[in-house]
Amino acid sequence: MQRVFSGVQPSGALHVGNYLGAIRQWAIDQHRADSFYCVVDLHGLTAEHDPADLRQRTLETAIGLLAAGLDPDVCTLFVQSHVHEHAELTWLLECTATVGELSRMIQFKEKGDGRESVRAGLFTYPVLMAADILLYDADRVPVGDDQRQHVELTRDVARRFNSRYGETFVIPEAAVPKVAARVMDLQHPERKMSKSVDSPLGTVSILDPPDVVARKVAKAVTDTDGEMRYDPEAKPGLSNLIELLASATGRSIDDIVGSYDRYGPLKADASEALVSVLAPVRARYEEIASEREHVVSALEKGADKARSVASLTLRKAQEKIGLLVPGTF
Ligand code: AQP
C-alpha cells in the first residue's frame, strides 16, 4: 500500500487555498493509502510568534483538519513536536543538505526578504520538512504548488544520503492538483493566498460564513477589459476565480470560460460553489471543537502510531550515517 505524508503549519486560520490545494485531497487519500498528516508546529517557530497563540492555533488547526474530513480512525493525524524524531532526523539531514541549495529556496527568499534578523530556522525549515516526509517512507506528498520546490529538495537530500551511506530513505513524489494548486489572494491576485499575511478581504477562511464569502468574492479584484479568458499571467484575478469555481465544482476551465460573458455571474457562481464546498467543514468544526477531549485523544493516538514508524527510520538513518546507536554495539 502506498504511503502518503503531508503537513500544515499552524500559522493562521486555514484558508480555501489550503483546503482546495491540499487538504481536500488528504481526506480522499486517507481511504486509498496509509496516510500520515501532521500539524507542523515546529515550522510555526520560524517566524515571529506568540507562544500562547501558537499553542491555540495548533489545536485549532488540528480541529480544522478533522472538520475537513480527516478521520483519526482511518489516517494518522498528529502534532509534529509530539514526535521528537522529526527534530533529530533534521540534524542528520542538515549535515547532508548544502547552504547553496537552501539559499535557492524561493519561499526563504520571499519570506526572508534579505533581512539579517530573519530566524535561522526559516533558512533550514525545508530540511525539517524533508525530515517530516522521509521519516514515514512516504511515496507521495500531496501539496500545493508553493511546496513543490521543497519536495524536490527532499528528493535531492534523500538521494544524496542514500548514495553516500546506503539505501535508507524512500524517494517521495509531490502530488500537486491540476487546478487550485496556487490559489491567489482575492485583493492582490499577483500573490498567493496566505495564512500569515494580513489580508482580511483577500483571504477566504474555511470558517467564513456564507455572507462573508459572498462579500469577499464580490469584491475580488479582476480587470477592466471585460474579456472572459483564462490567462493567469495577464488576468490573474479573473483566472483565480475561474480556478476556484473549477476546483469547487469539478467543472473544466474551458467549460467555465465558455459559459460566461460577464464577470458578475461568474463571481456569483464562484461564491455559491465555495459556500457549498465549505458548508460541511464549518458545520463539523463547531461540533468537533466542542469535544476537546476527543481531539486530544485522537492526537495522542496519532502521535503513538507516528512514533512507531518514525523511530525505526531514525534509527536506520543514525546507524547508516555512523552514529554509535545504543543497542547495536
Ligand atoms: N494559496 C494556496 N493555494 C493552494 N495551496 C496552498 N497551500 C498553501 N497556500 C496555498 C498548501 O496548503 C498546504 C499547507 O500549507 P502550509 O501550512 O505548509 O503553509 P504554506 O505553504 O507556507 O502556505 P500558507 O497557508 O499561506 O501559510 P503561511 O502564510 O504560513 O506561509 C501545503 O500543501 C501548501 O502547499
Side-chain angles (χ1 to χ4, degrees), residues 6-23 26 40 107 111 125 129 142-148 177 180-185 192-197:
S6 205
V8 57
Q9 296 195 51
S11 47
L14 294 174
H15 52 70
V16 288
N18 299 132
Y19 183 66
L20 298 175
I23 297 167
W26 304 359
V40 288
Q107 223 185 48
K111 289 191 176 173
Y125 135 90
M129 179 166 158
V143 283
D145 185 61
D146 64 319
Q147 295 297 338
R148 202 191 281 269
R182 180 175 285 264
V183 173
M184 309 309 270
D185 185 292
K192 84 174 184 91
M193 195 178 280
S194 252
K195 288 189 232 88
S196 58
V197 171

Side-chain angles (χ1 to χ4, degrees), residues 31-230:
H31 299 291
R32 300 180 180 157
D34 185 16
S35 303
F36 288 71
Y37 301 121
C38 183
V39 181
V40 288
D41 54 345
L42 297 175
H43 291 280
L45 305 178
T46 56
E48 193 64 40
H49 75 285
D50 173 77
D53 275 0
L54 178 63
R55 259 191 297 276
Q56 179 62 20
R57 281 201 313 260
T58 300
L59 193 59
E60 286 168 1
T61 304
I63 297 170
L65 293 179
L66 292 166
L70 298 192
D71 180 345
D73 293 326
V74 176
C75 67
T76 304
L77 174 65
F78 63 104
V79 174
Q80 184 187 33
S81 66
H82 296 180
V83 181
H84 62 78
E85 284 80 359
H86 289 248
E88 285 183 64
L89 181 63
T90 298
W91 181 249
L92 307 196
L93 300 181
E94 280 185 13
C95 295
T96 308
T98 67
V99 170
E101 61 196 349
L102 292 183
S103 307
R104 288 192 285 277
M105 294 298 113
I106 294 163
Q107 223 185 48
F108 173 70
K109 288 188 199 161
E110 284 175 357
K111 289 191 176 173
D113 199 23
R115 285 170 291 133
E116 290 244 321
S117 58
V118 141
R119 296 180 184 186
L122 186 69
F123 183 64
T124 55
Y125 135 90
V127 186
L128 176 57
M129 179 166 158
D132 299 338
I133 297 168
L134 297 177
L135 276 174
Y136 299 96
D137 290 339
D139 304 288
R140 208 151 50 78
V141 187
V143 283
D145 185 61
D146 64 319
Q147 295 297 338
R148 202 191 281 269
Q149 193 188 28
H150 293 157
V151 179
E152 244 346 281
L153 175 86
T154 302
R155 291 163 59 83
D156 291 344
V157 170
R159 281 202 205 95
R160 192 173 311 138
F161 192 104
N162 286 353
S163 81
R164 279 201 197 144
Y165 308 116
E167 272 319 293
T168 309
F169 299 121
V170 170
I171 310 296
E173 267 187 41
V176 178
K178 289 202 175 73
V179 285
R182 180 175 285 264
V183 173
M184 309 309 270
D185 185 292
L186 297 182
Q187 287 297 310
H188 300 277
E190 67 292 346
R191 70 173 191 225
K192 84 174 184 91
M193 195 178 280
S194 252
K195 288 189 232 88
S196 58
V197 171
D198 189 30
S199 179
L201 275 179
T203 306
V204 178
S205 155
I206 59 166
L207 301 180
D208 277 346
D211 58 318
V212 175
V213 175
R215 195 169 63 244
K216 289 179 179 176
V217 175
K219 287 185 184 280
V221 169
T222 49
D223 51 67
T224 50
D225 71 18
E227 192 192 338
M228 187 60 65
R229 184 159 55 90
Y230 177 76

